[in-house]
Amino acid sequence: MGSLETERTTVGWAARDPSGILSPYTYTLRNNGPEDVYIKVQYCGICHSDLHQIKNDLGMSNYPMVPGHEVVGQVLEVGSNVTKFKVGEVVGAGLLVGCCRNCSACQSDIEQYCSKKIWSYNDVYTDGIPTQGGFAETMVVDQKFVVKIPEGLEPVQVAPLLCAGVTVYSPLSHFGLKQSGLRGGILGLGGVGHMGVKIAKAMGHHVTVISSSDKKKKEALEHLGADRYLVSSDATQMQEAADSLDYIIDTVPVGHPLEPYLSLLKLDGKLILMGVISTPLQFVSPMVMLGRKSITGSFIGSMKEIEEMLEFWKEKGLSSMIEIVKMDYINKAIERLEKNDVRYR
């Protein structure tokens, strides 16, 4: 198609201040180049991290800010060096739009751990232009950070996979937890948690959903197919489940004690932190030492892992449990997300 030379304007929904209220905002897309893909956004997921960013919970927000990082859309135009994508194809874009390409993480194809990664929004691109996310009509994304959606997958189903899905898939893959027969726990049944249940079950795991109350028990067992439901506030249930899990995917995005969940892990079990939490977490060291247990973390996934996960999703015939809303409903949707009133993305 030749390189994209002209700047374009687009309309997105932006937060102007920490109130987090979004409203239409017209802005100029960054300069286009030969490696870029110009995308018409069709769907974009809403993630809890969007809520953190628009409300400046982490103290690093810059406004105006167009959030959104689970983007699915159609290719409108490609740069002269773009070889992976063609006009008209359905593609996805996630949380990152840039990296240094030279560090050990980049050279190992785990660019999400690059110290110079560029976020899809609330960041600055290499040309000095602020990045803006997927709550918009169009985006320009470097082809390295665009993924082709496999035929047979519904585009609207794919959006949550580009963050929530790969966030669960990546640590299960990296830590050698993909083999069938494992016993896993999913702590918190939100957008990431529901993906965790589906992916772990598809891998052949016995899955326990752990929640603070029993209000999601029916959903977990009947709708998502979990094998067990554990109420963390029930001391008897927790004691009975001690030393029973190979791993726990901890998706809770607010401060919480770790010791009750460490007690559920077997010898060499792993507690894998997923939630973005701005307050310190505490535990006593014997809880880890006496079972050689690990507290670790994982951050989204690489572009290669996204591609692998999408093929896995297609192969297993999985589907996301989502609610589809129009963009003018966005503020109500965010309000509901804040109240945990979404099933599930």
Side-chain angles (χ1 to χ4, degrees), residues 4 37 40 87 96 109 125 148 164 172 176 205 254 297 315 320-322 324 340 344:
L4 304 173
V37 181
K40 178 183 179 181
V87 171
L96 303 183
D109 291 321
Y125 205 70
K148 191 175 294 185
L172 292 177
H205 297 181
V254 296
E315 176 192 336
S320 309
M321 295 183 70
I322 54 175
I324 305 169
N340 200 24
Y344 285 93

Side-chain angles (χ1 to χ4, degrees), residues 8 26 37 50 53 73 80 82 86 123 130 140 149 160 163 167 174 194 201 203 231 251 265 279 298 300 304 327 334:
R8 293 181 168 99
T26 300
V37 181
D50 295 321
Q53 293 282 14
S80 57
V82 173
K86 298 177 182 177
D123 206 346
V140 175
I149 306 303
C163 175
T167 292
H174 173 72
H194 107 278
K201 283 295 296 179
M203 289 178 175
V231 178
T251 74
L265 293 173
T279 55
S298 182
I300 53 171
K304 283 192 172 183
M327 275 309 302
I334 288 172

Side-chain angles (χ1 to χ4, degrees), residues 9-209:
T9 60
T10 193
V11 178
W13 283 69
R16 301 321 209 274
D17 55 54
S19 70
I21 302 297
L22 304 186
S23 58
Y25 169 59
T26 300
Y27 57 98
T28 301
L29 292 171
R30 66 172 179 78
N31 290 330
N32 304 303
E35 300 287 336
D36 290 327
V37 181
Y38 180 47
I39 302 169
K40 178 183 179 181
V41 178
Q42 295 173 320
Y43 304 102
C44 186
I46 306 175
C47 177
H48 208 281
S49 60
D50 295 321
L51 187 63
H52 283 307
Q53 293 282 14
I54 62 176
K55 291 184 174 292
N56 197 28
D57 289 343
L58 304 177
M60 299 182 292
S61 297
N62 297 293
Y63 303 98
M65 178 201 302
V66 178
H69 60 266
E70 296 179 338
V71 178
V72 173
Q74 187 176 41
V75 176
L76 295 178
E77 197 169 341
V78 298
S80 57
N81 292 344
V82 173
T83 57
K84 295 172 59 180
F85 308 102
K86 298 177 182 177
V87 171
E89 288 184 328
V90 179
V91 297
L95 190 55
L96 303 183
V97 295
C99 64
C100 79
R101 308 191 189 216
N102 296 313
C103 68
S104 60
C106 289
Q107 292 294 315
S108 301
D109 291 321
I110 47 173
E111 63 281 342
Q112 71 270 35
Y113 298 111
C114 173
S115 62
K116 296 181 180 178
K117 58 183 167 283
I118 302 174
W119 307 97
S120 59
Y121 68 91
N122 195 36
D123 206 346
V124 178
Y125 205 70
T126 52
D127 58 4
I129 302 296
T131 60
Q132 301 290 9
F135 292 178
E137 294 176 349
T138 54
M139 290 182 74
V140 175
V141 184
D142 186 296
Q143 67 171 334
K144 177 177 173 60
F145 296 93
V146 179
V147 64
K148 191 175 294 185
I149 306 303
E151 287 187 20
L153 289 183
E154 290 186 53
V156 69
Q157 284 279 320
V158 171
L161 303 179
L162 300 173
C163 175
V166 76
T167 292
V168 174
Y169 184 89
S170 177
L172 292 177
S173 177
H174 173 72
F175 291 117
L177 299 170
K178 290 172 67 176
Q179 70 269 31
S180 63
L182 294 179
R183 302 180 73 88
I186 306 296
L187 176 55
L189 195 59
V192 177
H194 107 278
M195 288 290 180
V197 175
K198 284 179 168 285
I199 290 173
K201 283 295 296 179
M203 289 178 175
H205 297 181
H206 180 285
V207 178
T208 297
V209 169

